[in-house]
Amino acid sequence: MTASLTLYMLAASVLAGLGIYGVLIAGHLLRKLLALNLLGMAVLLMLITLGARGTGAPDPVTQAMVITGIIISISATSLALALLLALQRVTDETHLDAEPLPPVGEDGDAAGSR
Amino acid sequence: MSSPLWQALPLYIVLTSLVTAALIFLAGEQRQKLRIVLNMGGALLKLGLIGILLVAVRSGESFVWRLNLMPGIDLVLKTDGLSLLFSTLSAVLWLLTTVYAIGYLERSPNRARFFGFFSLCVASTMGIAAAGNLFTFFIFYEMLTLATWPLVVHRGTSDARAGGRSYLRYTLPGSGVLLAGMIWLYQLTGQQDFIAGGEVADIVLGNENSLRMIFLLLLIGFGVKAALFPLHGWLPRAMVAPAPVSALLHAVAVVKAGAFGIVRLVYDVFGVELVQVLGMDLMLAVAASITIIYGSLLALRQTNLKRRLAYSTVSQVAYIALGAAVAGPLATIGGLVHLVHQGLMKITLFFCAGNYAEALGIKRIDQLDGVGRAMPWTSAAFTIGALGMIGLPPIAGFISKWFLGTGALAAGMPWVVGVLVASTLLNAGYFLPLLRRIWFSAPPPAWPGGEALSRGARLALVVPAVLTALSALGVGIFAGLAASPLGWVQFIVGNEYQ
Amino acid sequence: MQLAPAELLLSLVFAPLLAAIAAVMLGARAGRLLAVMVCLVLAIQLLFLGQRFSADGPFDLALAGIAPPLGIRLALDGLNLLLLWLVTLVYLGTSLHAWASIGAGARGTAFWPPWLLMLSALNGLLLSGDLFTMYIGLEIASLSGISLIALDRKADALRAAMRYLLLAMLGSLVYLLGVAVVYAITGALDFALAGSRLPGGAVTIAALLLMTGGLLLKSAIFPLHGWLPPAHGSAPPPESAVLSALLVKVSLYMLYRIWFWMEVPVAGLVSAGQLLAAMGAGALVYGSIAALRQQQLKYLVAYSTVAQLGYLMLVFALPGAWQGTIYHLLAHGLAKAAMFLAAGNMIWALGSDRLDRLPGLDRHIPASVFAFALAAVSLMGLPPSGGFTAKWLMLTAAWAAQAWVWVLLLLTGSLLTAAYLFRVFALTFAPRSPRRRAQPVRRPHPLMELSALALAMLAIGMGFSGTPLLDVLALPPQLLPGAAPGLPAPLHLTPGAP
């Protein structure tokens, strides 16, 4: 594996870490969604990098997988955005407050007073 | 005449009630006439089918119907002496109870639901009677649990629901234990049909302790429904159910199914000899004896009529288990014949208790004063039932106790006779005061109240009680005939002890 | 009609897909007609496939003639044939329910296209022979499913859908990460091919961990179940039915394929399997207790799904329970679909899903209450029903492996299930308070009641069809060359190993 590929892999890992962190920590649903997209992109970047590790032409299978992955990611994101809009319109909320475990470090009273 | 359709005769008997149940549910609440026709039609058709079966079996035919359920597991319905004994009893008593229930529930709500589950209950009992292996028995045994629960909670009051809860708290874990025992047994033997003399005889060596545990598990599973001490707690609490249900529960369906299970377990799964070899006969005899005495003692203390009868059932059904526990043909005859005799006598008593409550609002024992003059027919029936329970000849109960006692002596268990004597004294202790109040006390100025019943309903309530009382008398007087329950049981026992 | 089976395989995926597109273009009225027609066509195709299958053995098809790893392979074996039947039957029943309950109005316009799309995706997932195609199927199915939860734009449903969507996306990305790792080290996506090339060691463990974790999240296995009850509890009834009966099951199906078909050469799989089974045990206990505490009918049913999914994890510790597990998967699918439809009808009739509104309901919609009861019989594992057959098979396997903890769990699991389901019935039988008596009860469309009843009957019917179904399951698994028939290759998971 060449150095540049290692770099790509490293970048993908960092992105994945950031994405997972964001999903778990972010409160606003839009942020959560962006974080998920980040994670998705990390996985796809990883796949693309894998496709290029040989010496010859890039592996077509990973290309196909990545294209499919992008399409799925777009549909999931658009569905999530539509849901978010509907949620905001109906309840005027942009957070999922009724989480089973209220996030540590935030205002504990908000959860307690509900 | 051995085409598959003819061989499936035991199935038709189960289906008769099942179809009746389905039709009653479908007919709905409003169509009362149709429901009565369905009920009676089903009961009579079943009786007819059983008649055909009896004749065919007597002429030497045998019936087996099999359906594969999963690899190595079959649903088997077949006829043998025991199954015919139990199904005949159930079919006859069902007919009478149906008549009684139609009168009893004349104006109450939810009758479609009641009669639907009532029929399901009988279908399960028929299945239990005809079950040809332990697995089939279990299926119908569970169906019975499910079908009885709606009857127990029928009134929907918080009392009724508490009764239902306690019923499930006993019976469902009981079936869990039964299932565990069955799984264990099937691991050892694979699937085997019930046969006289037992099905496990050839795997005894080296498995004695496993077999003892299996016997115990199965016994607990059946003992819950048979209300063996200390598993009897649900029975008195289930007394909140309407009177026909109590009658059915106590005389034929639930309690009897448990007792019948014990009989199958001892005679057709393990076999009497093996039970003795394993030393389980003494254990069962002691458990049954304790139940007999304990149930009677508690019955003495009850002030509510139905509860007193309930504890009396706890005690009386244990006679059947006792008969199974004491080796030798005589005691076996006593136990098996009590299956029928207790059914006839106890259903009479419950019918009468229901009549008292419906007509005059009598629920407690101290309200019985002088009721004999107000309701002579019912009271006469009650008297026959009560005297039979005590064991007064020539009523049915005497025959059972006689065979049990002589059987115990023959088997070298003289202490059992002591139990029987004590039980008889206790029976007298809790029944004779009732009879004294009914016949010899002055009636109160006013009865506690009751419902104004139509003439038809009154007839429907009294006639079944009188009929069952007469049968209890009849099977005692004509016990010598081959067609009597005693004659039939002697025929069955002859096969077991060949 | 002389279609080659290969083309039939394709049409299982594309017929619903084309119908979905047509539903978008032609509107709701055409959509619901197409949905029912497609289900019927699928059933006919499956009949035909099943016949060819038992005659010629399993077959597979490389899409567009391009072989894996580049191409996509569809394959049929006993396992996915059974699951395809489950999908088709559940979809047929729920589509008929939705015909009336969703209808062809504005709701229908938003309902039918994703509904059909989900069917196509489920079939595609089940037929696909590689890790990535399964991922696509699962994604499309989840996304269409989630869009249907929010059909009515109610706040609760929107929140539930949002939470589900976020966790589903997370779960699938984690899974995809695992797939990427597998591809990186093997250059293959096909189970068998990739499995045979996996080298073992830390990277393989990581890949397995990622895939398993993602799928556990999507299957709502305790303690990752948090999203399920709100999502299944607030969706429209046909949607809840499909979510509980099918969607959580197919991700478990993927897990089975990965664990049992890939022959992962990793030491320590046994203890990992034990861990998965322990999660199942936790699900069973936690889900049942949570169901007991619910005040809303659909949430109770949803928590019951959390609990029942626990049984499906047993096989990871006890490969001998394979038959029982798949049987449970099928029976639970049918019973739970029926139960959600029946619960939907009950809620429709009352206009509320609070349990304390149930009293007296059986008088108004007996068919739905009866369907609920039949489904409950199967879920409780009482005979005769598919649930009981499954329980019997699992118990037998656990007993044979002397896995006493599981024997105990299987036995008590039924009791817990009975505890929360009988609560529903006890409330239904309670008398209505006078205040409530005046409230109107809306009668559901007959199609809504009949569809629930039909699915419940199928769940009961599975109690009688054990042998043929298990025979199909035993058909040689084409996806895994060289495996023992009927069982996934338990090469690394010896039965009963500590």
Side-chain angles (χ1 to χ4, degrees), chain C residues 43-332:
Chain C
I44 294 167
Q45 288 179 346
L46 283 178
L47 270 180
F48 185 71
L49 272 175
Q51 239 166 22
R52 289 293 300 267
F53 186 51
S54 46
D56 307 346
F59 34 75
D60 60 328
L61 163 74
L63 269 193
I66 306 172
L70 184 58
I72 293 171
R73 194 167 66 107
L74 299 184
L76 192 68
D77 65 2
L79 175 61
N80 54 17
L81 182 60
L82 286 179
L83 272 128
L84 285 167
W85 266 115
L86 176 71
V87 169
T88 304
L89 291 175
V90 168
Y91 242 87
L92 185 59
T94 48
S95 295
L96 287 174
H97 190 278
W99 179 286
S101 66
I102 305 287
R107 288 175 88 206
T109 312
F111 180 83
W112 295 105
W115 180 252
L116 283 161
L117 188 60
M118 179 154 58
L119 176 57
S120 162
L122 289 170
N123 281 350
L125 186 163
L126 290 174
L127 283 171
S128 70
D130 70 76
L131 297 168
F132 190 71
T133 315
M134 288 203 302
Y135 161 77
I136 300 171
L138 188 61
E139 276 306 280
I140 300 177
S142 308
L143 291 179
S144 0
I146 291 166
S147 74
L148 288 177
I149 294 174
L151 183 69
D152 291 326
R153 299 277 185 277
K154 290 201 186 111
D156 276 354
L158 283 170
R159 281 193 206 103
M162 193 73 210
R163 176 166 302 134
Y164 184 8
L165 177 57
L166 291 177
L167 287 173
M169 282 173 81
L170 183 63
S172 11
L173 285 174
V174 171
Y175 169 79
L176 189 60
L177 204 55
V179 175
V181 176
V182 169
Y183 188 73
I185 46 184
T186 64
L189 292 166
D190 193 88
F191 311 122
L193 203 54
S196 63
R197 291 187 192 164
L198 275 176
V203 190
T204 303
I205 293 177
L208 196 61
L209 215 62
L210 286 168
M211 290 192 291
T212 306
L215 290 175
L216 286 178
L217 182 59
K218 294 208 101 165
S219 317
I221 299 303
F222 174 86
L224 306 172
H225 62 277
W227 60 267
L228 185 146
H232 292 199
S234 60
E239 167 67 3
S240 305
V242 164
L243 289 179
S244 259
L246 307 176
L247 196 54
V248 287
K249 304 289 169 54
V250 291
S251 41
L252 271 177
Y253 161 84
M254 289 168 67
L255 205 53
Y256 294 153
R257 287 289 194 207
I258 290 168
W259 273 69
F260 300 125
W261 267 260
M262 280 183 60
E263 300 195 40
V264 184
V266 170
L269 268 193
V270 173
S271 36
Q274 300 272 347
L275 182 69
L276 287 181
M279 288 170 77
L284 192 54
V285 176
Y286 173 86
S288 303
I289 292 172
L292 258 179
R293 301 165 51 127
Q294 297 307 309
Q295 297 304 325
Q296 285 165 294
L297 184 57
K298 276 184 78 185
Y299 274 77
L300 185 149
V301 182
Y303 270 105
S304 154
T305 298
V306 172
Q308 299 266 328
L309 286 173
Y311 288 120
L312 299 178
M313 305 302 287
L314 164 64
V315 71
F316 290 107
L318 207 72
W322 175 245
Q323 290 186 326
T325 304
I326 295 305
Y327 216 83
H328 184 267
L329 193 154
L330 301 172
H332 176 258

Side-chain angles (χ1 to χ4, degrees), chain B residues 147-290:
Chain B
T148 321
W149 180 81
L151 299 178
V152 173
V153 301
H154 179 70
R155 292 200 202 279
T157 57
S158 58
D159 259 6
R161 279 183 290 152
R165 259 199 307 280
S166 110
Y167 177 64
L168 289 180
R169 266 188 207 138
Y170 278 86
T171 49
L172 287 179
S175 1
V177 174
L178 186 58
L179 184 60
M182 261 169 64
I183 295 261
W184 197 345
L185 186 65
Y186 273 60
Q187 297 271 340
L188 287 181
T189 65
Q191 166 172 274
Q192 297 205 22
D193 288 357
F194 287 141
I195 47 165
E199 59 189 48
V200 297
D202 45 344
I203 54 125
V204 177
L205 273 181
N207 286 321
E208 285 89 351
N209 279 329
S210 298
L211 285 174
R212 279 195 191 103
M213 283 304 296
I214 292 171
F215 186 87
L216 206 62
L217 288 173
L218 296 179
L219 183 63
I220 292 173
F222 294 129
V224 169
K225 279 219 179 75
L228 274 186
F229 175 83
L231 308 169
H232 63 279
W234 62 272
L235 186 60
R237 273 175 245 166
M239 281 304 96
V240 290
V245 177
S246 308
L248 195 81
L249 285 181
H250 286 254
V252 277
V254 178
V255 184
K256 268 317 157 47
F260 189 67
I262 294 176
V263 168
R264 283 287 194 202
L265 171 64
V266 171
Y267 295 112
D268 296 341
V269 178
F270 277 74
V272 190
E273 285 175 28
L274 182 57
V275 172
Q276 271 179 290
V277 170
L278 296 174
M280 303 310 280
D281 56 337
L282 187 65
M283 197 253 337
L284 183 55
V286 170
S289 301
I290 293 175

Side-chain angles (χ1 to χ4, degrees), chain B residues 215-390:
Chain B
F215 186 87
L216 206 62
L217 288 173
L218 296 179
L219 183 63
I220 292 173
F222 294 129
V224 169
K225 279 219 179 75
L228 274 186
F229 175 83
L231 308 169
H232 63 279
W234 62 272
L235 186 60
R237 273 175 245 166
M239 281 304 96
V240 290
V245 177
S246 308
L248 195 81
L249 285 181
H250 286 254
V252 277
V254 178
V255 184
K256 268 317 157 47
F260 189 67
I262 294 176
V263 168
R264 283 287 194 202
L265 171 64
V266 171
Y267 295 112
D268 296 341
V269 178
F270 277 74
V272 190
E273 285 175 28
L274 182 57
V275 172
Q276 271 179 290
V277 170
L278 296 174
M280 303 310 280
D281 56 337
L282 187 65
M283 197 253 337
L284 183 55
V286 170
S289 301
I290 293 175
T291 311
I292 289 173
I293 302 291
Y294 176 83
S296 299
L297 283 174
L298 282 182
L300 265 180
R301 291 174 37 194
Q302 305 303 318
T303 53
N304 176 303
L305 181 57
K306 275 177 83 181
R307 285 181 75 91
R308 181 169 287 193
L309 294 180
Y311 279 107
S312 157
T313 302
V314 172
S315 156
Q316 292 280 337
V317 169
Y319 277 62
I320 302 167
L322 186 64
V326 177
L330 287 175
T332 304
I333 291 173
L336 286 184
V337 84
H338 202 56
L339 199 78
V340 178
H341 290 169
Q342 188 267 351
L344 290 172
M345 296 184 294
K346 189 43 68 70
I347 206 165
T348 309
L349 293 173
F350 270 106
F351 282 162
C352 295
N355 287 356
Y356 289 142
E358 275 302 280
L360 302 177
I362 293 172
K363 295 197 168 128
R364 289 203 317 277
I365 285 161
D366 56 15
Q367 295 167 330
L368 279 172
D369 289 343
V371 77
R373 266 164 272 175
M375 301 176 67
W377 286 102
T378 300
S379 300
F382 190 90
T383 307
I384 294 178
L387 292 178
M389 282 293 181
I390 297 169

Side-chain angles (χ1 to χ4, degrees), chain B residues 67-71 73 110 113 135 138-139 142 146 149-150 153 156 161 168 172-173 176 179-180 182-184 186-187, chain C residues 362-363 377 382-384 388-389 391-393 395-396 399-400 411 415 418 422 425-426 429-431 463-464 466-467 470:
Chain B
L67 175 72
N68 182 264
L69 291 184
M70 56 181 124
I73 304 285
N110 293 324
R113 185 176 80 194
F135 192 88
F138 180 75
I139 288 183
E142 291 294 275
L146 286 182
W149 180 81
V153 301
R161 279 183 290 152
L168 289 180
L172 287 179
L179 184 60
M182 261 169 64
I183 295 261
W184 197 345
Y186 273 60
Q187 297 271 340
Chain C
D362 63 313
R363 233 170 302 164
V377 166
L382 293 175
F388 173 71
T389 305
K391 186 169 83 168
W392 175 270
L393 292 169
L395 261 176
T396 308
W399 199 291
L411 289 173
L415 295 183
F422 268 106
F425 297 122
F429 280 19
F464 297 93
T467 305
L470 292 175

